[in-house]
């Protein structure tokens, strides 16, 4: 299968935005795992005085997780899908949260940043040039800034591949077919199989210049299927090292 990319993928997400929250709500632990990953940024002081980026915010579930993890931070949330952003903006948000219609690739010349931390959920499988986007993220992060990536990235065992395929063919694709979004959810299935393993993406982060890159597991049925990746843009400052 040819994966959806760029405008084709954004259009597919536009259409799926109508039912996206309902479908993800069927995934046990979906929102709890996003919160767990956001908290793994380990932001001090509830995020007071920090400017955070939610990269690929979708309908705002990841933004909500980031807000809960750092309720005193200022958050800029961006997505390439206008439809997903419309859904996100209909929800109640404090004045410290704003949404922008930008792709990951467009951020480099957007004038946004610098950011103290970046949270990216379910993004890197879907970009044409993950190394280029990682370079953009590094350029947007302040020195010592933190990155957390929440992503479907298999552990490398054939069991993980088989479980992911069984879930997609038995649950995800049939549910997406009912909503008219079969192509998007078939893309989801294949994009995970084609993406880096957890060790592969950790290595990609290191090659991109991030330090301390680690893959952290998530609990439940997604163990070995979804990971949190944490890293920094360079070393921690002296003040951060004591937090």
């Amino acid at each position: 299968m040819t994966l959806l990319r760029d405008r084709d993928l954004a259009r597919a997400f536009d259409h799926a935005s109508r039912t996206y929250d309902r479908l993800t709500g069927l995934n046990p632990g979906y929102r709890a795992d996003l919160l767990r990953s956001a908290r793994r940024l380990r932001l001090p002081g509830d995020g007071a005085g920090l400017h955070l980026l939610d990269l690929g915010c979708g309908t705002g579930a990841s933004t909500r997780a980031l807000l809960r993890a750092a309720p005193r931070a200022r958050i800029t949330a961006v997505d390439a899908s206008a439809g997903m952003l419309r859904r996100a903006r209909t929800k109640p948000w404090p004045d410290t949260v704003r949404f922008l219609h930008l792709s990951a690739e467009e951020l480099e010349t957007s004038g946004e940043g610098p950011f103290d931390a970046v949270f990216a959920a379910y993004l890197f499988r879907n970009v044409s040039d993950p190394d280029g986007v990682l370079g953009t993220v590094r350029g947007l992060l302040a020195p010592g800034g933190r990155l957390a990536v929440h992503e479907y990235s298999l552990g490398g065992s054939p069991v993980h591949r088989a479980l992911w395929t069984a879930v997609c063919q038995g649950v995800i694709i049939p549910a997406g077919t009912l909503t008219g979004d079969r192509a998007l959810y078939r893309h989801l299935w294949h994009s995970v199989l084609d993406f880096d393993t957890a060790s592969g993406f950790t290595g990609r982060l290191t090659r991109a210049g991030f330090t301390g890159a680690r893959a952290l597991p998530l609990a439940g049925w997604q163990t070995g299927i979804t990971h949190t990746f944490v890293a920094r843009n360079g070393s921690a400052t002296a003040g951060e090292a004591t937090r």
Side-chain angles (χ1 to χ4, degrees), residues 112-207:
E112 296 295 324
F115 297 97
D116 299 290
V118 174
F119 186 45
Y122 305 119
L123 172 79
F124 279 95
R125 287 175 298 104
N126 290 323
V127 297
S128 299
D129 180 10
D131 292 326
V133 173
L134 283 172
T136 295
V137 170
R138 273 202 73 203
L140 291 169
L141 270 172
R146 308 172 192 213
L147 170 66
V149 175
H150 178 98
E151 187 58 272
Y152 291 121
S153 179
L154 301 179
S157 165
V159 173
H160 300 149
R161 292 179 67 88
L163 176 58
W164 174 247
T165 291
V167 169
C168 286
Q169 292 184 343
V171 180
I172 295 174
I173 294 173
T177 301
L178 290 174
T179 64
D181 298 303
R182 179 179 175 83
L184 177 62
Y185 292 102
R186 281 183 57 80
H187 162 88
L188 170 62
W189 172 30
H190 286 280
S191 69
V192 175
L193 296 179
D194 287 356
F195 189 58
D196 296 340
T197 62
S199 61
F201 190 69
T202 303
R204 189 187 292 271
L205 287 167
T206 300
R207 291 192 299 275

Side-chain angles (χ1 to χ4, degrees), residues 77-97:
V78 306
D79 202 275
S81 165
M84 300 291 267
L85 280 175
R86 278 194 297 271
R87 292 287 170 177
R89 286 170 172 151
T90 64
K91 301 171 183 178
W93 301 99
D95 292 341
T96 52
V97 176

Side-chain angles (χ1 to χ4, degrees), residues 43 115-117 138 141-147 211 231-237 240 243:
L43 298 172
F115 297 97
D116 299 290
R138 273 202 73 203
L141 270 172
R146 308 172 192 213
L147 170 66
T211 59
R232 282 185 181 266
N233 181 23
S235 302
T237 66
E240 288 175 320
R243 289 171 180 162

